[in-house]
Amino acid sequence: MTSATMRTSRRAVTAALAVACVTTTAAPSDQTPSPSLTVEEVVTVGTRGKPRAAVDTAVPVDVFSAEEIASVGSSDLIDAVSTVVPSFNVRRYAIADGATFVRPTELRGLDAHHTLVLIEGKRRHRAALLRLGGFGAHGPDLGSLPSIAIDRLEVLRDGAAAQYGSDAIAGVMDLKLAGESRGFELRARAGGYSAGDGEEVVVEAKAGFPLASGSLTLSAQVAEAAPTDRSEPYDIPIGSSGLTPAQAVASRATVAGTTYYGPDAFTYRYAATGDIVQVLPGSDGVPDDLDTRYADNFHRVGGDRAFSYPAQIWGKPEREQRLVVANAGLPVGASELYAFASYAWKDQTGGFFYRRPGVSQLKPLRLADGSIYDPRAALYPAGFTPQFSGEVTDYAVYGGLRGELANGLTYDLSASYGSDRIDYRIANTLNPSLGPATPTRFRTGSLVNDEVALNADFTYPVEIGLADPVNLAFGVERRVEGYAIERGDAASFAVGPFAHPDPFDLEITQAEVDADPNDALTSVACRIPGFETTGSLCPAGDPVNNTVPIGSNGFPGYPPAFATDVDRRSTAAYLDLEVDATANLLANAAARFERFSDFGDVATWKLAGRYRINEATNLRGSVGTGFRAPTPGQISTTNVSTRIDPAGFPRAEGIFPSHHAAAGLFGGRPLDAERARSLTFGVATRPTDGLTVTLDAYRIRLDDRIVLSSQFAVGAQEAARLVALGVPGANDIAQVRFFTNDVATRTRGVDLVAAWTFDTRSGTTSLQAAVNANDTRIVERGRFVDAEGEYDLENGLPRWRAVVTGRHAWGKVDALLRLRYYGEYSNADTAALLRTQTFAPEVMVDAEVAWLLHDRYTLKAGVENLLDNYPDPAAFENCCGRIYWRRSAVSWQGALFKLQVAVSFD
């Protein structure tokens, strides 16, 4: 059977399961659990007036219950959100520095920092990770909260910067915490992938306690997950033919004189006929006996991790995490004291790119006594794969006093502090420039992002003779944001003696000889013991003049020159008016003014309304402006890390602040705020009891969008300037990037959401469908983003996403079937756009069955991606053992099987 036939068969099965989902009924039962989907869900996000049903709001809001989030059964809240919210995408990066540990997300095609995340209506702080890939997202880490702590999730699909401030351009996500004064729930879950790896064990607990006349709820999660491996044999092209050694041997289609350094550490040379004319062991100057020991030492490539061919692992990292959330409330007269806090600790480890024995990091070196030091003999005979780890510590505390006075004035006075820290470390590597003095483990530095906020929010009803009083909301906010880069171990960024040729002056160069007017230097031109010569240089190709890169290879440590500690202060005031002007018309107007210490003032506004056509149908829409301030991290980050070029060689890339002199060489200038204009229009209807349908269209224009520039190649002239500017590691930097306000984008889309809950003789059935069509285009592009960056932004995400869920409960059994659809998407090979690839649509099917035992115990079995579907393999981004496109929004892990046992007490 061909792969195309197999794919067609899988989709046919998917369609059949979809039909079964909405038509199957079960045997009659006397007990029918409550439906998991509540269509009259009351929402608070997007309005400061009275709470309203989701279909009665002026702007689109989706509500997801705790049961819907729990049905995903993931230890990562990000996976749960991306599963149930079709306009929310998340990618799995196997090798992307910190983005492997804090995964970047997108809502409605815009970056993580374009979505404001709230906890109980309070702004959530950002993660420390500033993603140094793509367009440079810098948003919160949803993965730092346990799913069991979430009572419900409200997603506002509308720009709301005029109501909530910076970042609320794509929308707002408000996480409501469980708040209970009694009860206990414990869940224990184990699972693994059909490929036989990625085993995960998760234990979650939630308990409610009385607190005087109030309550305290504690939620916690402990999880451990093994890594996955979705790789193929590591074989990369070296030389002009573009073929790997294995391909060249198989096809004999090569170019005369092409040289390959093969995975078996031998050098192959081919004639025009394709015949192998030379096989040269150790032709790069390495002693022959090292090459013969390559295979025997391959198990050492991954250090503490046992490696087998391939040497490059693409998959999920090894992970261990501990998450805790507390939520408390205490009535005090007519007011309430409230507080909630979260703590997260996550430690994850994954592999970097494999370094073959022939790369520059492993060149032999001449020591001061004239002996040869070869890191292959001393450390890595078969090359090495650095192991990169990130330890994330995230915590936040929120507290306040809220209440209502006799005249109807409500108040909410609050303060919050949040901090996120990533401590990086790397093992199984070396600082080549230190030679034999190099460690193999380094702490490369830390990133810290913190935020303090003080808020005073008020509402007051004002009678002006309309159907209802005008709800006047107003308030002020003071916020201080900080971002710090902390230096790594000294050895992780040290410039060792071997960063320069002949550090011990064992050879007098020809230039020195020619520059000596008395020819005194010609007496001894080579001082290497055994090679001493008079008037001539050391042997050609001798390691005496080898130079090697500096810093812990793979991720050089942050040197003092890169360390930074910056903060920003902002003050905001807002005014928000909402009124039921008539029995059928709801109107809202909001305005906000903010002043920032580092780039000035911003003012935004918004108008929204809802008109009730009849008892069943509402029209709604909004128009407004928005903004996003550049984050302190985007303003101040400096970083040098290793990338792999198309030929498979490591190259250092420097990222500098836009106002840094290094960025100035290529036209960088200080950042400004992004400006947005948004428009939504939709209809919400309840044609019959239990059925709700909403359809909303949106348009977002984003000007001065902050993006990470494309790479600027560093030539000899630029390198000399970088050295003159004192840039650490300038001799090894091959390309430079920086943040810039360089593009304007337009995002358009449609959201369709339908929910239907009904009773049958056998129980209760809930059906829900959510479809998102989204299209983002660059309408203005400056010179800092190339055609490849534009193509990937416009085509890199599926334009169609859909989630269809069917749930049927009868007696003590609850069954769920979910279909997730991903439309086609594309990417480009290079800025020339000579090669592009379009990936076919994919359907993932999830199934779950739960049994309630003795009213307290629940046994649940489920599988995600039941059909074991994978995205199409990458046609050209498949270097170094990679099979799937690194930026794929479609999961490439395969089927995941889970079994859970839960116990609960009232």
Side-chain angles (χ1 to χ4, degrees), residues 854-868:
H854 305 294
D855 297 327
R856 288 184 176 178
Y857 304 95
T858 303
L859 179 63
K860 183 185 294 186
V863 57
E864 294 179 20
N865 190 11
L866 175 64
L867 303 181
D868 203 23

Side-chain angles (χ1 to χ4, degrees), residues 515-867:
D516 182 8
N518 300 318
D519 289 337
L521 296 178
T522 60
S523 59
V524 179
C526 182
R527 305 186 183 94
I528 299 175
F531 291 94
E532 298 94 338
T533 58
T534 300
S536 63
L537 303 179
C538 295
D542 188 89
V544 68
N545 283 311
N546 281 350
T547 59
V548 290
I550 64 172
S552 47
N553 190 248
F555 195 95
Y558 298 119
F562 288 4
T564 184
D565 189 353
V566 299
D567 60 54
R568 162 200 288 150
R569 291 166 171 77
S570 63
T571 303
Y574 71 86
L575 181 65
D576 192 330
L577 304 174
E578 184 171 291
V579 61
D580 285 292
T582 70
N584 296 324
L585 178 63
L586 168 67
N588 173 267
R592 187 181 186 95
F593 175 82
E594 295 205 32
R595 171 163 292 169
F596 291 84
S597 60
D598 50 1
F599 69 86
D601 303 338
V602 179
T604 54
W605 58 268
K606 179 179 178 179
L607 300 174
R610 183 222 66 211
Y611 183 75
R612 180 176 291 122
I613 298 176
N614 53 47
E615 290 300 320
T617 304
N618 296 324
L619 294 178
R620 60 192 184 188
S622 69
V623 61
T625 63
F627 78 101
R628 189 186 74 82
T631 70
Q634 290 174 327
I635 291 174
S636 62
T637 285
T638 304
N639 176 268
V640 174
S641 57
T642 302
R643 303 286 184 253
I644 299 295
D645 68 15
F649 288 106
R651 294 287 184 264
E653 175 182 272
I655 295 177
F656 298 94
S658 59
H659 56 272
H660 191 279
L665 293 177
F666 304 96
R669 57 184 182 274
L671 295 176
D672 197 359
E674 301 176 343
R675 316 281 173 154
R677 290 171 286 167
S678 63
L679 174 69
T680 66
F681 181 77
V683 59
T685 182
R686 288 172 290 192
T688 185
D689 288 343
L691 175 62
T692 302
V693 180
T694 64
L695 179 67
D696 296 278
Y698 57 88
R699 182 183 186 276
I700 305 169
R701 164 81 184 221
L702 189 52
D703 291 311
D704 297 324
R705 183 168 175 176
I706 298 172
V707 299
L708 193 57
S709 74
S710 299
Q711 297 93 341
F712 288 89
V714 176
Q717 183 177 356
E718 291 83 8
R721 293 286 302 277
L722 292 177
V723 171
L725 291 169
V727 174
N731 66 325
D732 194 42
I733 295 176
Q735 55 197 32
V736 165
R737 304 179 76 186
F738 51 89
F739 285 97
T740 177
N741 297 92
D742 198 46
V743 301
T745 62
R746 182 208 64 213
T747 299
R748 297 186 296 192
V750 176
D751 285 299
L752 172 65
V753 178
W756 186 25
T757 300
F758 56 92
D759 294 327
T760 68
R761 291 177 56 193
S762 63
T764 300
T765 298
S766 300
L767 300 177
Q768 186 176 30
V771 181
N772 172 253
N774 190 84
D775 179 67
T776 295
R777 298 286 166 182
I778 291 182
V779 293
E780 295 179 14
R781 174 166 66 93
R783 68 186 185 91
F784 298 124
V785 174
D786 62 20
E788 181 187 6
E790 178 177 9
Y791 186 94
D792 288 349
L793 173 71
E794 296 182 343
N795 302 281
L797 286 173
R799 294 191 183 178
W800 287 90
R801 279 282 319 271
V803 179
V804 179
T805 304
R807 195 164 196 162
H808 187 75
W810 68 98
K812 296 184 178 183
V813 178
D814 193 330
L816 176 144
L817 189 64
R818 178 189 296 117
L819 278 67
R820 293 176 283 135
Y821 173 80
Y822 298 82
E824 67 178 27
Y825 54 102
S826 306
N827 84 301
D829 186 12
T830 65
L833 303 184
L834 298 178
R835 290 196 301 172
T836 62
Q837 180 180 6
T838 298
F839 298 86
E842 287 293 345
V843 175
M844 306 288 184
V845 178
D846 308 329
E848 175 185 281
V849 179
W851 295 268
L852 179 63
L853 308 173
H854 305 294
D855 297 327
R856 288 184 176 178
Y857 304 95
T858 303
L859 179 63
K860 183 185 294 186
V863 57
E864 294 179 20
N865 190 11
L866 175 64
L867 303 181

Side-chain angles (χ1 to χ4, degrees), residues 425-440:
R425 63 186 188 274
I426 192 168
N428 198 54
T429 185
L430 74 165
N431 181 339
S433 70
L434 293 177
T438 181
T440 58

Side-chain angles (χ1 to χ4, degrees), residues 326-670:
N327 184 24
L330 179 65
V332 180
S335 302
E336 181 191 26
L337 280 171
Y338 65 91
F340 49 97
S342 66
Y343 172 81
W345 174 86
K346 299 186 289 184
D347 194 18
Q348 302 174 84
T349 298
F352 269 3
F353 287 98
Y354 168 53
R355 274 68 169 163
R356 304 181 317 281
V359 296
S360 61
Q361 289 82 358
L362 294 174
K363 285 181 179 179
L365 305 168
R366 282 283 184 189
L367 303 183
D369 62 0
S371 63
I372 292 181
Y373 167 74
D374 196 308
R376 281 163 284 207
L379 297 174
Y380 305 118
F384 64 101
T385 301
Q387 300 301 297
F388 187 61
S389 302
E391 183 178 355
V392 178
T393 305
D394 184 288
Y395 61 91
V397 59
Y398 309 77
L401 177 70
R402 59 192 171 204
E404 182 175 353
L405 302 180
N407 62 358
L409 176 72
T410 70
Y411 58 90
D412 185 347
L413 309 176
S414 65
S416 65
Y417 174 76
S419 172
D420 188 270
R421 178 187 183 93
I422 304 178
D423 295 311
Y424 289 134
R425 63 186 188 274
I426 192 168
N428 198 54
T429 185
L430 74 165
N431 181 339
S433 70
L434 293 177
T438 181
T440 58
R441 293 175 176 269
F442 305 84
R443 289 193 172 272
T444 55
S446 303
L447 304 177
V448 185
N449 194 101
D450 63 1
E451 182 174 319
V452 177
L454 301 174
N455 291 82
D457 301 291
F458 307 90
T459 68
Y460 184 71
V462 179
E463 293 282 357
I464 60 173
L466 298 176
D468 280 335
V470 174
N471 185 78
L472 171 64
F474 56 96
V476 293
E477 178 183 67
R478 175 69 170 175
R479 201 163 80 245
V480 180
E481 304 168 76
Y483 185 79
I485 300 176
E486 298 179 359
R487 56 171 287 178
D489 295 341
S492 70
F493 56 79
V495 181
F498 301 100
H500 310 285
D502 191 17
F504 306 111
D505 198 25
L506 297 176
E507 177 182 52
I508 299 174
T509 66
Q510 187 64 53
E512 291 176 296
V513 172
D514 295 340
D516 182 8
N518 300 318
D519 289 337
L521 296 178
T522 60
S523 59
V524 179
C526 182
R527 305 186 183 94
I528 299 175
F531 291 94
E532 298 94 338
T533 58
T534 300
S536 63
L537 303 179
C538 295
D542 188 89
V544 68
N545 283 311
N546 281 350
T547 59
V548 290
I550 64 172
S552 47
N553 190 248
F555 195 95
Y558 298 119
F562 288 4
T564 184
D565 189 353
V566 299
D567 60 54
R568 162 200 288 150
R569 291 166 171 77
S570 63
T571 303
Y574 71 86
L575 181 65
D576 192 330
L577 304 174
E578 184 171 291
V579 61
D580 285 292
T582 70
N584 296 324
L585 178 63
L586 168 67
N588 173 267
R592 187 181 186 95
F593 175 82
E594 295 205 32
R595 171 163 292 169
F596 291 84
S597 60
D598 50 1
F599 69 86
D601 303 338
V602 179
T604 54
W605 58 268
K606 179 179 178 179
L607 300 174
R610 183 222 66 211
Y611 183 75
R612 180 176 291 122
I613 298 176
N614 53 47
E615 290 300 320
T617 304
N618 296 324
L619 294 178
R620 60 192 184 188
S622 69
V623 61
T625 63
F627 78 101
R628 189 186 74 82
T631 70
Q634 290 174 327
I635 291 174
S636 62
T637 285
T638 304
N639 176 268
V640 174
S641 57
T642 302
R643 303 286 184 253
I644 299 295
D645 68 15
F649 288 106
R651 294 287 184 264
E653 175 182 272
I655 295 177
F656 298 94
S658 59
H659 56 272
H660 191 279
L665 293 177
F666 304 96
R669 57 184 182 274

